[in-house]
Amino acid sequence: MDDDFDDALALANGTAGLDAALGPAPGGGRPGGARGGGRSSGGGPSRPAVGWAEARTAARYAARPGEPVELPLPGALGHVLAEPLPALTDLPAFDTSAMDGWAVAGPGPWALDDSGPGVLAGDTPERLPDGHAVAIATGARVPDGATAVLRSEHGFAGGGRLTAPATPPHGGDIRPRGQECRTGDLLLPAGALVTPAVLGLAAAAGYDRLTVTRRPRAEVLVLGDELLTEGVPAGGRVRDALGPLVAPWLAGLGADVVATRHLGDSAPALRDALTGGDAEVLVTTGSTAAGPVDHLRPALRELGATFVVDGVAVRPGHPMLLAALPDGRHVVGLPGNPLAAVSALLTLADPLLRTLADRDPEAGPGPARLAERVQGHPEDTRLVPVSHRRGTATPLRFHGPAMLRGIASATALAVIPPGGAGAGASVHLLGLPRN
């Protein structure tokens, strides 16, 4: 076990080497589950849930970035640069026309060869003699000898001559070679996210492939016999809301989601899923409680997993967990209530996946001031859906642990400290994926 992982355990649990004292934190992954606060199932010792900020830090340091891979430009989208990106050429690579018009040499009037279309993008023009002009298109290479480009609306052509009220200034409407960068200039540092604009810049600078940090593979395991995958809830069963939600959320955090599987409440199926596959991160929904069909913690103990975070002092979502399997893969256990699961995604999955994908660990909208008072839990942090605009965060209704209506309208979650926060108080905001 490496030093970073030891440090993550120590930070989350207050000491290192807790393999012998990793009994599960209590709590309910589903309605009716045992409540948290220090009680454990399966005979494990009692200990309090870790604080919210400490849990996020522990998740961040529980892993290391993936290995560098070289990918063609289209495949690099959404990855992070593993190496700096120097320019392979001057940009522009030659003097180019910034406008449609005429390339002119010296002061006018000019002799004009109007027998053809002039210089088009992609052409290699001949040298332009002094006192001559030639039509030129935007983006075309400026002929050697040209001193400026005269815009089409400023000149008058006819009879083999070009005239203008005034001679354009030297270099006018010419993009000089190397205006944007010179060969070898640093375009982007390692760690930059590859966006569509970055792909365009890389292509312009001469790249066909990019060296990036490989995105972590993730698999979603949906637990619960009561879940329907289609239709209207009926007969005591409810629709699975987390299967459709979690996979794109993980993708927005930098993961490649290889599958979403529905396992029901089968302990053998859960153990098989935790031991098979090649995903570095397994994200489960439900089964974080101490009820008779909540098999996640017993399965993890049976497999020899190390609990990095076992319960968090946050509402909703306090029974969440982060565990490391002996082969180095990670398991993020989300409670089964929808908003509680979102809380766990932002608390544990977000920092873990950002580290694995080598993304900015603190990406988000930053702080904002509350539009109104928000009641807090006496001891735990609260995460509350808000709509924020121009530095003001307005709490939204429908923010119960089992509700998604508030988060569906939210632009962020506000971090409310124990005891609450009054109107005008500055609070930290957690950004939400928008893909």
Side-chain angles (χ1 to χ4, degrees):
M1 190 177 293
D2 61 38
D3 292 340
D4 285 348
F5 188 72
D6 285 339
D7 291 345
L9 275 177
L11 180 62
N13 298 304
T15 182
L18 290 178
D19 292 344
L22 289 172
R30 302 180 193 159
R35 185 179 177 276
R39 198 166 61 85
S40 65
S41 64
S46 297
R47 59 189 176 87
V50 67
W52 177 80
E54 291 82 2
R56 276 176 59 88
T57 302
R60 175 183 174 188
Y61 288 105
R64 289 179 174 175
E67 69 274 12
V69 294
E70 191 177 87
L71 298 176
L73 290 187
L77 182 66
H79 291 68
V80 167
L81 292 177
E83 298 178 351
L85 192 72
L88 300 180
T89 181
D90 296 347
L91 285 181
F94 40 78
D95 292 352
T96 60
S97 176
M99 302 292 294
D100 290 336
W102 298 270
V104 299
W110 303 271
L112 178 64
D113 180 3
D114 54 7
S115 60
V119 183
L120 303 178
D123 290 349
T124 303
E126 297 180 355
R127 182 176 181 83
L128 189 65
D130 189 47
H132 285 67
V134 63
I136 193 167
T138 301
R141 182 169 184 165
V142 174
D144 290 343
T147 55
V149 169
L150 177 68
R151 299 186 183 192
S152 56
E153 63 267 27
H154 295 166
F156 306 92
R161 288 175 61 82
L162 174 67
T163 60
T167 297
H170 194 279
D173 285 321
I174 292 177
R175 290 188 63 210
R177 176 177 179 171
Q179 181 185 51
E180 187 170 0
C181 66
R182 289 290 186 179
T183 301
D185 284 354
L186 178 64
L187 299 178
L188 291 168
L193 181 65
V194 180
T195 64
V198 170
L199 292 181
L201 175 63
Y207 285 88
D208 301 313
R209 304 173 69 85
L210 293 175
T211 301
V212 295
T213 299
R214 186 176 61 79
R215 287 163 60 100
R217 293 181 298 274
E219 185 173 7
V220 181
L221 306 176
V222 180
L223 311 179
D225 287 339
E226 76 279 13
L227 301 177
L228 297 170
T229 58
E230 60 182 15
V232 177
R237 302 182 69 190
V238 297
R239 277 294 297 272
D240 168 33
L242 294 180
L245 179 154
V246 173
W249 199 297
L250 299 178
L253 295 176
D256 285 331
V257 181
V258 298
T260 296
R261 290 196 281 162
H262 291 75
L263 302 183
D265 283 321
S266 168
L270 176 58
R271 285 193 296 271
D272 289 346
L274 292 176
T275 55
D278 62 353
E280 291 99 334
V281 179
L282 300 167
V283 179
T284 64
T285 69
S287 199
T288 58
V293 294
D294 293 318
H295 304 301
L296 180 58
R297 281 184 172 84
L300 290 171
R301 287 196 298 273
E302 182 179 330
L303 295 174
T306 301
F307 285 74
V308 181
V309 175
D310 191 3
V312 179
V314 66
R315 303 302 171 112
H318 59 282
M320 66 181 73
L321 65 87
L322 170 61
L325 293 167
D327 60 8
R329 294 177 301 137
H330 289 85
V331 179
V332 179
L334 311 181
N337 278 328
L339 187 55
V342 168
S343 173
L345 282 170
L346 288 170
T347 301
L348 299 178
D350 183 306
L352 175 69
L353 289 173
R354 287 186 182 278
T355 292
L356 287 166
D358 203 21
R359 289 193 172 194
D360 181 356
E362 293 299 332
R369 297 197 177 277
L370 288 174
E372 59 190 66
R373 173 171 175 75
V374 176
Q375 183 177 354
H377 186 274
E379 299 175 351
D380 296 349
T381 299
R382 279 192 69 197
L383 302 183
V384 177
V386 296
S387 174
H388 77 284
R389 185 181 182 188
R390 297 178 181 175
T392 298
T394 303
L396 300 174
R397 298 175 59 199
F398 307 108
H399 50 71
M403 297 181 180
L404 280 175
R405 189 170 172 182
I407 196 68
S409 301
T411 57
L413 288 185
V415 181
I416 306 300
S426 179
V427 293
H428 181 70
L429 298 185
L430 302 174
L432 308 178
R434 309 308 298 177
N435 61 333

